Amino acid sequence: MTYEETTEWLFNQLPMFQQQGAIAYKKDLSNTILLVNHLNNPERKFKSVHIAGTNGKGSTSSLLASVLQEAGYKVGLYTSPHLKDFRERIRLNGAMIPKEFVIDFVTANKSFFEAYSFKFF
């Protein structure tokens, strides 16, 4: 798949609560647990900071990422939404991840995502 085909496939997986109703809402973490187990629990391999709340998450995350990077840490940052390119959401030391990474990740895991009806969010 090309990068454009890959991102198109991802966005076709978006759950639309307005279109699907309550079936689009999951009350538990069962899908998340299934996914991280499939990916060999990557969340256990790095330290992280989760920023939550109503306003200011993007600004706070970007500021903290900048401070940590200037202090010499290797920094990954995930934000949402993006403006022009999906890869704006995932950065390593301020640089967008390569298109090939997105293609390879989706290609390697697409059948798993489809088998369990995972939705992109």
Side-chain angles (χ1 to χ4, degrees), residues 24-85:
Y25 176 72
K26 298 284 187 194
K27 294 182 182 181
D28 61 26
L29 295 175
S30 58
N31 278 353
T32 303
I33 293 167
L34 188 62
L35 177 61
V36 297
N37 286 337
H38 170 74
L39 298 174
N40 297 317
N41 299 94
E43 77 284 2
R44 295 181 184 164
K45 298 175 182 151
F46 59 88
K47 294 179 182 181
S48 65
V49 176
H50 183 110
I51 299 171
T54 305
N55 297 310
K57 295 179 296 292
S59 299
T60 302
S61 299
S62 295
L63 177 68
L64 184 56
S66 178
V67 168
L68 291 171
Q69 190 174 336
E70 286 297 317
Y73 290 94
K74 182 177 180 181
V75 178
L77 177 64
Y78 176 84
T79 58
S80 178
H82 62 275
L83 296 175
K84 293 183 177 183
D85 188 327

